[in-house]
Amino acid sequence: MSKIIATAAIRGAHKIVGRAEESLRQALETYGPDAPVAFPNTGYYLPVIYGMTGMVVEKVGDLVPVLERAKALLPPVPSEKVWLPYLGPALDAGMATLFADEIIEAIKYLGTPPYTMTSKPTDDNLWLGAADDVILRKRGIEFVDGTAPGFAAVVGAAPTNEIAVKIARELQEKNLYVFMSAETDGRSFAEQLAEEGVELGWETRLVPFGKDITATVFSLGFAARAAMSFGGVKPGDFRRVLLYNKNRIFAFVIALGYVDDEKYAQAAGAINFGFPTIADTDIPQILPTGICTYEHVVSNVPHDKIVSRAIEVRGLKITVTKVPVPVAYGPAFEGESVRKGDMHVEFGGQRTPAFELVRMRDAAEVEDGKIEVIGPDVDTVPEGGRLPLGIVVDVYGRKMQEDFEPVLERRIHYFINYAQGVWHMGQRDINWLRISKAAFKQGFRLRHFGDILYAKMKSEFASILDRVQVTIYTDEAKVLEMREEARRIYAHRDERLKALSDDTVDTFYSCTLCQSFAPTHVCVVLPERVGLCGSVSWLDAKASYEINPHGCNQPVPKKDVIDPVKGQWQSCNDFIFQNSRGTIERVNFYTIMEYPLTSCGCFEAIIVMLPECNGFMIVNREHAGMTPCGMTFSTLAGMIGGGVQTPGFMGIGKAYLASKKFIIADGGLARIVWMPKDFKEQMRHVLEERAEELGLGRDFLDKIADETVGVTAEEILPFLEEKGHPALTMDPLL
């Protein structure tokens, strides 16, 4: 290993550990040893420390032994005359640096935190700070399913804002997350992007953690939590945490500008995780392989090559289908918004008539690759103008089925949103689209909607589609005519879906996507029960199986009924037993009280028994507060996740609440006695309809307690009694 790098890293580690020692001394004097200390809304405490050592830090005094652990890891600074070129001391110094980073950053949260603690910057603060568990669950799954192939930790600043934007856009186009920290000569990469009007935040995958060099640890903390949350690694099993990251989290450091001792120390910490450093300056290199998959430090890389070189050094394989549009294209732009002042033209959104439709047609009716625009293009309207819009995608395929139409149609939202400067929301005839001024100036026109949909439909659904043809309508009379046809098709689909039930099919479908982090979990998707993540319906799973018969969605035969009320079939038990590695022997689909479906970790909400109220509470992932069962969502998730059966507790998708089969063996919707207020309002419309169907009355939701009533069973019980909640008169749960 390079003597210069090792010496610099060890010097830097001594500086940061010394800084942590001084911060801790001041915190003990100011706040005392019993002051609570934590990163916001996480069950992983200080995640690098927790993952590497298993040490739980809950108060300031708990940081003292952590600091001693960091100091013990520090090797002496090498002398000028004698040097043994061993990698071990530098790696130890790197880990000591990360421990010290977390001490410093945790103490910052004791006073007024310098961070927004939101998912995107505010008007007066660019820095987000540590990601909470809601973000971890939502974003971390993307590293498991391949939606996000990895992340780049960008440290420092580019020579110019223009170079910074080019690097960021290239990383986004590769679908990588960009975690930003530290500065060079007072300038940071995130500040450069913000100055150029680039939208930052988790939604655009450009995440500004903090300007301090110690904020770099938030990137490593995210990686450590991924190992514990999705890899099933136990806290303190440092070897498995590090190996999981080397083998599963494809991350790397891009060091921009002058690399000082503290940055060398951070790089040494990252190398422990198998994350190499690629620099734009002429620093010493570490080219032999060892801890990292390939080289450890590569330097003097030109800015136009730095992203591709970093991907190569990390051993990351990225397949990006080039979509022929004049703007950047990729999932990283899905969360980008186009505000009214930034738009060139908009369509729909109740401002003009609009719709979108996917139709299955006969072979003779579809000319593969044909894209036609009927009506005026966007360059015929003044800036800020409006046009009607109809998008019709006609498809033919030997394996295409009518049931797949809405599955493909929902993908229109994602495919169009992946274009930079193009914004889409809604579907069917309530869609709303905007094209930004910047995208228009780069040449984006209506035909490019067709280019996007043709390329993505053919690439993602190649196994079921042989021909795809796209027609874009902006002539208002034609849009109105075609919208009526679309509405007839929508109505026909709705009637078919209403007729689809658990009782009318002979096959359910599995989803084992999450087995990479919950090896014994087998999600089973029913017509009347959406997947726990909320994003996989029975039709989606069926379509997925047709598209890829060897994928994570497999048919589960429904034969040999054991208990029709609780929903247990022998064939389902056999499938689950085999695919849970012989762990789960039986499952009831319609109760959570006995052999419930296992939970992975990606569920949208959790349902929990409240015996004192003879009912159940439901808490959604977004709710950070306490609940009547005495646990927060994060704590509950940690308890029931990982593929275990936990009677009385179960993860669910939100849409399951409106199902006719919703915990029907336990009493159904009438058993719900508590849910967060915002969640209740979000679900109000569908739950009121379902309550009326059940004879509970449209005012049933107002009988359900929320956090404004109380967060303990004792607090909410008088409210339930006053409102005459039906759960109180039902048969006892226990």
Side-chain angles (χ1 to χ4, degrees):
M1 182 177 184
S2 165
K3 175 182 177 181
I4 296 174
I5 289 182
T7 303
I10 293 170
R11 275 199 311 262
H14 277 271
K15 291 177 184 178
I16 293 175
V17 171
R19 183 179 159 193
E21 186 171 22
E22 177 58 21
S23 294
L24 180 54
R25 183 190 64 78
Q26 293 181 10
L28 287 167
E29 290 179 358
T30 305
Y31 302 104
D34 295 324
V37 63
F39 289 159
N41 191 30
T42 178
Y44 295 95
Y45 308 101
L46 305 187
V48 173
I49 294 167
Y50 188 47
M52 294 297 110
T53 70
M55 297 172 74
V56 172
V57 174
E58 296 181 295
K59 56 184 184 296
V60 173
D62 294 336
L63 293 171
V64 174
V66 175
L67 179 65
E68 293 305 313
R69 188 77 168 262
K71 291 166 72 174
L73 283 170
L74 280 178
V77 177
S79 68
E80 291 296 322
K81 294 183 179 180
V82 180
W83 167 246
L84 297 177
Y86 296 144
L87 182 60
L91 294 177
D92 286 346
M95 193 57 68
T97 299
L98 300 182
F99 291 177
D101 286 343
E102 284 199 325
I103 291 172
I104 293 167
E105 290 297 331
I107 289 171
K108 288 181 183 179
Y109 282 96
L110 283 171
T112 301
Y115 304 121
T116 66
M117 294 181 286
T118 58
S119 64
K120 62 182 178 179
T122 61
D123 291 338
D124 58 354
N125 193 350
L126 186 65
W127 306 109
L128 307 184
D132 65 16
D133 282 350
V134 172
I135 290 174
L136 173 70
R137 292 286 181 178
K138 183 177 181 180
R139 303 293 167 180
I141 186 62
E142 295 174 354
F143 292 88
V144 176
D145 66 16
T147 307
F151 71 77
V154 179
V155 178
T160 68
N161 288 8
E162 181 183 11
I163 291 173
V165 172
K166 286 182 178 178
I167 291 173
R169 292 309 190 200
E170 188 174 355
L171 289 165
Q172 283 183 302
E173 287 179 3
K174 300 293 190 294
N175 304 330
L176 296 160
Y177 276 86
V178 184
F179 296 157
M180 296 168 277
S181 61
E183 47 85 17
T184 301
D185 296 329
R187 300 270 291 155
S188 72
F189 190 76
E191 288 170 330
Q192 291 179 303
L193 299 182
E195 288 170 7
E196 297 305 308
V198 175
E199 190 172 351
L200 304 179
W202 282 97
E203 294 298 326
T204 59
R205 303 194 180 189
L206 298 174
V207 183
F209 276 141
K211 192 170 183 177
D212 196 338
I213 184 64
T214 56
T216 306
V217 80
F218 294 144
S219 299
L220 282 305
F222 186 91
R225 283 193 288 171
M228 291 183 283
S229 179
F230 302 117
V233 180
K234 299 297 183 184
D237 190 348
F238 66 88
R239 184 176 182 276
R240 287 190 62 208
V241 169
L242 298 178
L243 284 174
Y244 180 89
N245 277 277
K246 177 184 177 180
N247 297 327
R248 299 296 301 275
I249 305 297
F250 290 92
F252 49 85
V253 178
I254 292 181
L256 299 174
Y258 176 67
V259 179
D260 58 21
D261 290 351
E262 287 88 341
K263 289 179 182 175
Y264 277 119
Q266 304 294 333
I271 288 173
N272 279 284
F273 284 74
F275 302 164
T277 294
I278 295 81
D280 63 347
T281 53
D282 189 13
I283 64 174
Q285 302 189 111
I286 306 176
L287 300 181
T289 59
I291 304 301
C292 298
T293 304
Y294 298 117
E295 297 89 347
H296 297 76
V297 178
V298 177
S299 66
N300 210 25
V301 181
H303 295 112
D304 61 346
K305 302 285 196 306
I306 199 164
V307 172
S308 59
R309 185 74 174 111
I311 289 170
E312 176 189 338
V313 171
R314 183 60 182 94
L316 178 57
K317 307 298 182 184
I318 294 181
T319 302
V320 178
T321 302
K322 186 67 176 177
V323 177
V325 293
V327 297
Y329 188 87
F333 301 107
E334 180 193 341
E336 182 184 38
S337 60
V338 176
R339 296 178 176 84
K340 186 175 182 181
D342 298 326
M343 78 175 188
H344 175 79
V345 63
E346 69 177 335
F347 316 86
Q350 310 304 315
R351 291 154 175 79
T352 66
F355 73 95
E356 54 198 36
L357 175 71
V358 171
R359 301 183 298 185
M360 183 177 71
R361 314 295 278 177
D362 292 333
E365 298 175 280
V366 183
E367 181 182 337
D368 190 45
K370 181 180 180 181
I371 299 172
E372 188 176 9
V373 177
I374 300 175
D377 210 327
V378 295
D379 51 9
T380 65
V381 298
E383 191 175 276
R386 296 169 177 164
L387 279 173
L389 181 68
I391 299 175
V392 177
V393 183
D394 290 319
V395 299
Y396 162 76
R398 293 173 180 83
K399 294 184 178 180
M400 179 65 189
Q401 299 179 28
E402 189 177 348
D403 286 344
F404 300 165
E405 287 180 346
V407 178
L408 274 59
E409 196 170 282
R410 281 196 293 274
R411 298 299 291 170
I412 291 175
H413 168 79
Y414 298 99
F415 294 158
I416 288 179
N417 260 334
Y418 291 169
Q420 182 190 7
V422 180
W423 177 77
H424 178 287
M425 70 176 295
Q427 54 186 302
R428 288 192 171 185
D429 57 352
I430 58 170
N431 55 345
W432 186 11
L433 295 86
R434 284 177 173 174
I435 298 173
S436 72
K437 296 174 185 176
F440 175 77
K441 289 177 181 176
Q442 291 179 67
F444 194 94
R445 299 296 183 266
L446 284 170
R447 177 188 169 82
H448 293 121
F449 284 142
D451 290 330
I452 289 169
L453 295 174
Y454 175 76
K456 297 302 288 183
M457 290 285 182
K458 286 299 291 285
S459 64
E460 294 207 8
F461 298 103
S463 64
I464 60 171
L465 297 182
D466 299 319
R467 303 181 188 180
V468 175
Q469 172 182 304
V470 183
T471 308
I472 311 294
Y473 297 96
T474 58
D475 176 85
E476 184 163 358
K478 194 64 178 175
V479 170
L480 292 171
E481 175 191 336
M482 293 299 299
R483 187 175 68 176
E484 288 308 305
E485 179 180 345
R487 285 174 171 172
R488 286 193 293 272
I489 294 173
Y490 302 152
H492 173 66
R493 287 180 191 164
D494 290 342
E495 287 303 313
R496 293 185 70 246
L497 285 171
K498 286 180 182 178
L500 195 64
S501 71
D502 295 359
D503 301 327
T504 59
V505 300
D506 59 8
T507 304
F508 301 148
Y509 285 90
S510 69
C511 182
T512 54
L513 177 65
C514 299
Q515 279 200 343
S516 57
F517 57 86
T520 62
H521 173 60
V522 180
C523 190
V524 180
V525 184
L526 286 60
E528 296 182 78
R529 179 176 184 149
V530 70
L532 308 188
C533 62
S535 60
V536 181
S537 72
W538 185 85
L539 281 175
D540 294 331
K542 180 183 178 185
S544 177
Y545 173 69
E546 294 288 339
I547 293 165
N548 180 12
H550 304 291
C552 62
N553 300 118
Q554 294 293 311
V556 182
K558 191 187 76 171
K559 297 178 180 178
D560 303 325
V561 62
I562 295 174
D563 190 327
V565 176
K566 294 179 180 178
Q568 185 178 159
W569 289 266
Q570 184 61 51
S571 58
C572 297
N573 287 342
D574 294 343
F575 181 94
I576 292 170
F577 181 76
Q578 180 179 351
N579 288 275
S580 67
R581 305 182 184 185
T583 302
I584 307 301
E585 296 182 355
R586 66 193 71 184
V587 167
N588 289 317
F589 294 121
Y590 303 144
T591 174
I592 73 169
M593 299 300 293
E594 182 183 21
Y595 304 116
L597 191 67
T598 55
S599 297
C600 51
C602 305
F603 32 73
E604 292 187 299
I606 301 173
I607 181 169
V608 180
M609 175 183 62
L610 292 178
E612 303 93 332
C613 303
N614 202 38
F616 301 109
M617 57 154 272
I618 297 176
V619 58
N620 56 319
R621 183 177 295 281
E622 294 78 9
H623 185 70
M626 185 54 66
T627 71
C629 72
M631 289 178 275
T632 62
F633 182 94
S634 294
T635 303
L636 283 166
M639 184 182 78
I640 72 169
V644 298
Q645 280 182 317
T646 314
F649 301 78
M650 187 171 65
I652 61 170
K654 294 177 183 178
Y656 181 47
L657 290 172
S659 169
K660 292 180 180 179
K661 296 290 190 179
F662 173 65
I663 56 170
I664 190 170
D666 302 324
L669 189 64
R671 286 284 190 184
I672 303 306
V673 298
W674 187 93
M675 59 194 302
K677 187 174 187 297
D678 288 347
F679 187 36
K680 191 194 304 186
E681 293 308 312
Q682 176 188 349
M683 302 293 295
R684 178 172 289 277
H685 177 68
V686 293
L687 292 185
E688 283 182 341
E689 286 189 358
R690 181 67 188 131
E692 195 164 34
E693 290 174 1
L694 292 169
L696 298 172
R698 293 187 71 88
D699 64 342
F700 172 69
L701 252 66
D702 298 324
K703 298 178 181 180
I704 298 176
D706 54 43
E707 70 273 20
T708 65
V709 175
V711 292
T712 68
E714 292 75 14
E715 290 172 342
I716 69 172
L717 189 55
F719 172 87
L720 301 175
E721 292 171 342
E722 176 189 341
K723 296 293 184 179
H725 195 290
L728 300 180
T729 60
M730 298 173 74
D731 292 339
L733 282 171
L734 297 176

